[in-house]
Amino acid sequence: MGHIVVLGSLNVDLVANVSHLPRPGETVMAESLQTFPGGKGANQAAAAARLGGTVAIVGRVGTDAFGTLLLESLERDGVNVSGVARDEAAPTGTALILVDPNGENVITVAAGANASLGADEVRRALAALDPAGLLVLQLEIPPPMARAAIEGARRKHVRILLNAAPAGRLDPSLLAGLDILVVNEPETAALVGRPVDDTRSAEYAAVELHQRGVQLAVVTLGAAGSVFCLNGSAERVDPFTVTAVDSTAAGDAFVGALAVALSDGVAVPRALRLANAAGAVAASRAGAQSSLPHRDDLERLFGVKWP
Ligand code: RIB
């Protein structure tokens, strides 16, 4: 199995549980406020490590207590954090998250040190990749750095998994030649330029993304599972049913599981089934990294034995 290198964001999540998500101009009293380790990059690294991957993360945090909290948490999960720089000029990234009783959320991210991720981090990530490795990227880092990492990994013939989240930050020219793309419905809609809000529209979009040059295009559908296009036609991957508590990091659990399974040589449909299971567990628990499953959780909760 090759090493997984995640180049991405690390955030502390400040999570308020609310009776309903506020409309513009509305004030809603929170029922609780909690602090969790988060950030799409860090979540995906932690998810992959918990599911058995050999994982390193490259990124930036501040010299503040939040930065220390994030690094210690990732180390406890077995993630190599030697590639994370401490930024003396910027605070650790922070996400403000509201969660309603159905587990739906709204998230806004103050990027902090993640916004200073630059060419040094790209170099460190590329240097950490072996030929059998996998580069995992999201878009909470400056998009030019994501582009530089993708181009560098292509030169090294290393596979790339891009989770194009948040929506609207991907230069569409990067789709051509991409190995693996994972996007949710709004992210897919931003790429194809039309609404993607059910399984059928997601299937069309997955085929279009594949035709635009993505080898494996995956659209996640939350409680409805996922669809993918690998060989020109779309296929559905059944969901696992859970009671949703907090969907934060469900997509990151999905990406981490997919990265490990594909690195292990698991066939795509099975790898996506495992990813659906990991995402479902995360949606059934509170918080970001606090919600990510280990392999034995998948077996205990769903009878799914890895791989
Ligand atoms: O994908 C979930 C993550 O998005 C949260 O942990 C938050 O930090 C934001 O980056």
Side-chain angles (χ1 to χ4, degrees), residues 9-14 36-41 43-44 93-97 105 107-109 140 163 165-166 247-252 287-289:
S9 58
L10 302 92
N11 298 326
V12 161
D13 293 354
L14 304 179
F36 293 106
K40 294 186 194 305
N43 296 345
Q44 292 174 17
T94 305
L96 308 175
I97 302 180
N105 63 28
I107 303 180
T108 187
V109 175
E140 284 184 337
N163 172 219
S247 59
T248 307
D252 299 327
Q289 285 162 48

Side-chain angles (χ1 to χ4, degrees), residues 13 15 17 34-38 43 97 99 105 245-250 252 281-292:
D13 293 354
V15 181
N17 288 92
Q34 291 171 281
T35 303
F36 293 106
N43 296 345
I97 302 180
V99 181
N105 63 28
V245 170
D246 176 358
S247 59
T248 307
D252 299 327
V281 176
S284 72
R285 297 172 173 171
Q289 285 162 48
S290 52
S291 72
L292 303 172

Side-chain angles (χ1 to χ4, degrees), residues 100 188 203 210:
D100 78 6
T188 308
E203 287 176 326
H210 175 73

